Amino acid sequence: MTQPVSNVKGVSVFRHPAVDSARGVAGAWIGRAWRSRPAPADLLPLVARWPQGPPPLAVVRQVHSSRWVIVREAPAAPAAPLADADAILTARRGIALGVATADCLPIVAVDPEAPALAVVHAGWRGTLAGVLRASLEAMAAELGANPARILVAAGPAAGACCYQVGEDLATRFAAAWPDAASRIVRRDRPGERPRLDLMEANRLQALEAGVPEHSVHSVDLCTICRPEGTHSYRRDGAEAGRMWLLAALTGRAGGARDR
């Protein structure tokens, strides 16, 4: 279900009820906050308006990989990239994690009881490399998350309605998920260029990692054909801005200990 877009002081914000209802976590996909590619430091004024007060911000240099990094303490330098990676994990409350996208899939995963949180940047390269599955497995192995409790929610991204790809890439995705090839690679008519469903491929990764099907959600908003509030590299080329996914563990869940 597509979620309403709110506008706060010129910033488009997408939210999902599943994330908002999860105890001990705050998260949002930030849409048209910038007309060009922002630096992470440009997020600091936005983070300063965080409901619980301005948290430290952790970001990475995104390289379209399956690599993840764990944040165990507040970053020494605010908004300075911690490593080359495409997922950021933490069990510490009060640290905001951020990834930037402009067609790639931005994903938040949380087990509030552990507690454990991840934000993930999943383009086609990272999806093929298994970035979400690797992140969920690391949440369990490194942070004590239980896959049965994990909530996964994906924000605006290039949708299967518009995301055309070449035959070679379609073949690689079909080979990676042969049992779901027709759902991941879409064709309405014979001879039509294949279209890629990034959300479906990542949904299957979540299920492979043990997340229940009812715990995987999406805002169901295509950045290519829905320009209101979104940025798209496919649509706008080098002039495209970036959206940011921001999430943090907040408060204190009953019985949980920070690590």
Side-chain angles (χ1 to χ4, degrees):
M1 180 176 65
T2 301
Q3 300 305 314
V5 179
S6 63
N7 189 284
V8 182
K9 296 183 179 180
V11 177
S12 298
V13 180
F14 304 89
R15 308 188 70 92
H16 196 285
V19 177
D20 284 346
S21 64
R23 227 166 21 105
V25 63
W29 294 271
I30 311 302
R32 282 197 180 277
W34 299 273
R35 290 286 179 180
S36 59
R37 183 181 301 195
D42 294 335
L43 286 172
L44 295 179
L46 188 63
V47 172
R49 301 205 300 268
W50 204 267
Q52 289 79 21
L57 175 63
V59 298
V60 291
R61 284 180 296 274
Q62 297 169 196
V63 292
H64 296 278
S65 69
S66 61
R67 295 199 289 271
W68 47 266
V69 62
I70 294 180
V71 178
R72 301 191 185 276
E73 302 293 342
L82 300 174
D84 291 348
D86 288 276
I88 316 171
L89 286 59
T90 194
R92 299 294 299 182
R93 301 185 188 278
I95 297 176
L97 312 180
V99 292
T101 59
D103 287 332
C104 295
L105 195 68
I107 305 169
V108 59
V110 62
D111 176 354
E113 293 186 34
L117 173 70
V119 297
V120 180
H121 162 252
W124 71 259
R125 293 178 181 85
T127 298
L128 267 181
V131 63
L132 178 58
R133 183 173 58 247
S135 301
L136 294 170
E137 290 171 351
M139 287 175 68
E142 304 289 337
L143 302 180
N146 181 345
R149 292 194 306 251
I150 292 177
L151 165 73
V152 173
C161 53
C162 299
Y163 191 13
Q164 293 185 340
V165 298
E167 293 291 346
D168 177 66
L169 186 56
T171 299
R172 292 169 66 184
F173 269 85
W177 290 279
D179 294 337
S182 63
R183 299 201 306 271
I184 293 173
V185 179
R186 308 283 189 87
R187 299 176 193 266
D188 291 338
R189 293 177 296 275
E192 181 185 62
R193 284 191 67 189
R195 302 189 312 276
L196 185 61
D197 192 334
L198 276 180
M199 180 60 214
E200 179 65 9
N202 281 279
R203 187 185 74 85
L204 291 175
Q205 286 190 38
L207 301 185
E208 290 164 1
V211 178
E213 187 165 8
H214 66 264
S215 296
V216 183
H217 305 273
S218 169
V219 300
D220 187 26
L221 186 68
C222 175
T223 51
I224 298 174
C225 66
R226 294 286 297 276
E228 59 276 15
T230 70
H231 289 297
S232 167
Y233 186 85
R234 282 284 182 122
R235 187 184 66 234
D236 301 328
E239 298 301 314
R242 294 297 184 271
M243 299 177 292
W244 281 85
L245 160 60
L246 296 176
L249 292 167
T250 63
R252 186 169 293 277
R257 292 187 301 112
D258 290 344
R259 289 181 296 281

